[in-house]
Amino acid sequence: AEGLNLCTSGSATSCEECLLIHPKCAWCSKEEFGSTKSITSRCDFLQNLIANGCAGAIENPSSSISVVKNVPLSSKGSDQTHLDVTQITPQKVALNLRPGDQTSFRVQVRQVEDYPVDLYYLMDLSLSMNDDLDNIRNLGTKLAEEMRKLTSNFRLGFGSFVDKNISPFSYTAPRYQNNPCIGYKLFPSCVPSFGFRHLLSLTDKVDRFNEEVQKQKVSRNRDAPEGGFDAILQAAVCKEKIGWRKEASHLLVFTTDDVPHIALDGKLGGLVQPHDGQCHLNEANEYSASSQLDYPSLALLGEKLAENNIHLIFAVTKSHYVLYKNFTALIPGTTVEILHKDSKNIIELIVKAYNSIRSKVELTVWDSPEDIGLTFTATCQDGLSYPGLRKCGDLKIGDTVSFEVAVEARSCPAEDTSHIFTIKPAGFRDTLEVAVTYNCLCGCTGRATPASGKCSGNGTYACGLCDCDAGYLGARCECEEGASGDTHHAMCREAEGKPLCSGRGECSCNQCLCHESEFGNIYGPFCECDDFSCARYKGVLCSGHGECHCGECKCHAGYIGDNCNCSTETDSCVSSDGQMCSGRGTCVCGKCQCTEPGAFGETCEKCPTCPGVCSTKRDCIECKLFNSGRLADNQTCQKHCKDEIITTVDVLETDDPNAILCAYPVNNCVMKFTYSELASGKSNLTVLKEPACSSAPSAVTIVLAVIGSVVLIGIILLGLWKLLVTIHDRREFDRFQSERSRARYEMASNPLYRKPISTHNVEFTFNKLNKSYNGTVD
């Protein structure tokens, strides 16, 4: 082969060492083969050994796989006998692994139709939940009706909790022993506080659920947080008393309106003993270790829920939604939904959560050995392959998804070592058991001959070589230690003129005995090699991802480069949406190099100036604030939006030049937000608390507006007409006055003017009463 030959340059001194160098290396066990001065030539690529005449005597084991159990997937659940339902195939696989030689197998998973469901309703009975208690008194009947639309085999159970009945969590003074509500005017009577009380084992008789709920009364504790995590753990681990069936899907609905106590809170009450994760229900089905053990941790809860295949559903009020949403990232297999303050939406909430759980499949790995590498490639309903992903979503009941699982052994453990690990879908009963054995020994090693004549009777012959007894040296163990001579010195020089044994050993019986070094091993026919003179990265030899062989780094599978610092894996480059470097860059040495202008981040997922960034951030806002949208699934939301800092405001400021304003429609309204990148690498999203909505005007408003508009237009037109007439009259009057001023005579001296009154004198004479009168008449 051209270039560096990993096999021959590895200086393997045995068949087993050769197999560890690289999965392509093979060993020639033929007696007469290669140079008499070197044994490294026996380790080479298969085609080279065949070309050099070693056909028929080659040791080249490979990884193998055998399917031990492979029952076909079931299509329905409740029609079959209880443990006959199969949702994962195969069920058992045996692997025989050669280090570095990767092998793979395909796993198929199907959510079968009509799968049995066990639902345990765990309710907070603190005083603030009194109105909720009233609203669920007939919950059993209504919930059963809805769930039987999804499964014909449904069972329901009930339990309640308040908090530890010790100070400072509850009222412990003697006057409060029987009635902690005494003196409380708003609610003067309630039952004593308790940690957890199992009230009804899982049953298909839903009327009994209603009866138990109707018997319940609320209690009162002193502080705001509740002891709900104590109750969750007991409901998970007390399998026999709760009645969880192996063949059913397990749902645990946890309803509360406040925050929970967590591990170490118990120290406030003097409880220093950590929770042991065991069942502590007494004969009365009450949690008996409430006043002895601390609250459980999130890790312990997650472990016990997973062990018992329980899906936890947090049904919490809106004010505590974000807190419990964060819990889902720390407790695998959990979901969170918003509960109305009076629990009126509880049935809708449970059905929604159940459908969400059944719409996804995620593989989990249990007890995986440290020296085993696993990689997953998911093939979901769209038919596309997603390297590095072990989860599929948006599934319908009956859909089948598959996963390619690649397994690789990184090293050889002690002889006869075997491991068993388990692959299982989260929340499923079904598992795939994987048994691993290691193929690290050569077949010729088992045919070794002690005190062989081929080794001068002084050693064991195996795989074409002599393993000399103590005190003997030589290719055939023909020399004793200490024997030396000038005639043999030439056999200890790599080339004429070079120092004996490269200056790092002594020549004895035609062979170099290499010196010891505090830095590592010196080896080779002429002591020309060592395992410490290789390139380093950040002070680490071969970056910690390879072995140093004769000055060259022999990289482990998955790494390349002079110092093995370049990873060939692309999992770390796959962005949350399944694309390589978010479609904005290329994966080089396991890290994204962004090529899109303005893009940055570990997977080039941040790009304020890229088109479509608003829609990406919108998904995070919808899932984090409103538990809706494409990423509404809790685990998906936490993974995709882990770097988003979301702040809600009443008024959105848009004057920041570095912020991008985004908007999208929501139920005839518009939700607006701004998006900017922080120096820490996180995204800052500022969102309006409520969408901006414009209310439609009423019919009366429209009529009045039209009438008002007509009247206003009429008044304006009249005003304009009056203005025009006035202007016209003034112009005519001004013209008249102008003409009058230009007249050449006065009106009084006008020869054509005649007074309208005329006077005439008339003389007359008449007699009256024999008297005469003279006069005039005007």
Side-chain angles (χ1 to χ4, degrees), residues 581-655:
C581 297
S582 305
R584 300 174 183 141
T586 56
C587 189
V588 179
C589 293
K591 294 183 179 180
C592 283
Q593 291 187 356
C594 305
T595 56
E596 182 82 18
F600 63 99
E602 291 184 359
T603 58
C604 305
E605 74 281 6
K606 302 182 184 301
C607 185
T609 58
C610 292
V613 67
C614 284
S615 60
T616 303
K617 300 305 177 184
R618 167 189 174 177
D619 291 337
C620 290
I621 290 173
E622 288 182 336
C623 78
K624 275 200 164 186
L625 292 186
F626 309 110
N627 194 33
S628 60
R630 186 173 61 87
L631 306 178
D633 169 67
N634 297 302
Q635 300 295 335
T636 304
C637 184
Q638 290 297 330
K639 179 180 178 182
H640 286 224
C641 307
K642 63 180 184 301
D643 291 334
E644 318 301 329
I645 300 174
I646 301 178
T647 307
T648 56
V649 295
D650 294 318
V651 179
L652 197 63
E653 299 291 341
T654 58
D655 53 355

Side-chain angles (χ1 to χ4, degrees), residues 500-521:
L500 288 174
C501 300
S502 304
R504 302 198 293 181
E506 297 178 0
C507 184
S508 176
C509 192
N510 304 336
Q511 285 187 327
C512 286
L513 300 178
C514 302
H515 296 154
E516 292 184 358
S517 172
E518 60 179 324
F519 301 108
N521 294 322

Side-chain angles (χ1 to χ4, degrees), residues 334-354:
T334 59
T335 58
V336 60
E337 301 289 346
I338 295 176
L339 179 72
H340 292 174
K341 290 187 176 180
D342 54 7
S343 294
K344 284 186 177 180
N345 69 326
I346 186 64
I347 294 178
E348 175 189 350
L349 181 154
I350 292 173
V351 172
K352 179 182 177 183
Y354 176 73

Side-chain angles (χ1 to χ4, degrees), residues 290-337:
S290 179
S291 57
Q292 285 86 42
L293 299 178
D294 191 9
Y295 297 97
S297 65
L298 293 171
L300 182 61
L301 277 183
E303 177 187 338
K304 296 303 177 182
L305 290 170
E307 277 182 10
N308 296 284
N309 307 317
I310 295 174
H311 292 285
L312 176 61
I313 301 171
F314 286 125
V316 299
T317 50
K318 188 174 182 179
S319 58
H320 300 296
Y321 174 80
V322 174
L323 173 66
Y324 283 91
K325 185 82 168 178
N326 293 334
F327 284 158
T328 63
L330 303 172
I331 308 176
T334 59
T335 58
V336 60
E337 301 289 346

Side-chain angles (χ1 to χ4, degrees), residues 359-360 381 392-396 399 630:
S359 69
K360 63 189 177 187
Q381 280 304 105
C392 286
D394 299 325
L395 303 178
K396 297 178 182 177
D399 286 347
R630 186 173 61 87

Side-chain angles (χ1 to χ4, degrees), residues 175-192:
R175 66 190 296 254
Y176 295 117
Q177 288 299 309
N178 297 321
N179 180 14
C181 293
I182 191 169
Y184 186 58
K185 295 181 180 180
L186 296 178
F187 204 90
S189 178
C190 59
V191 299

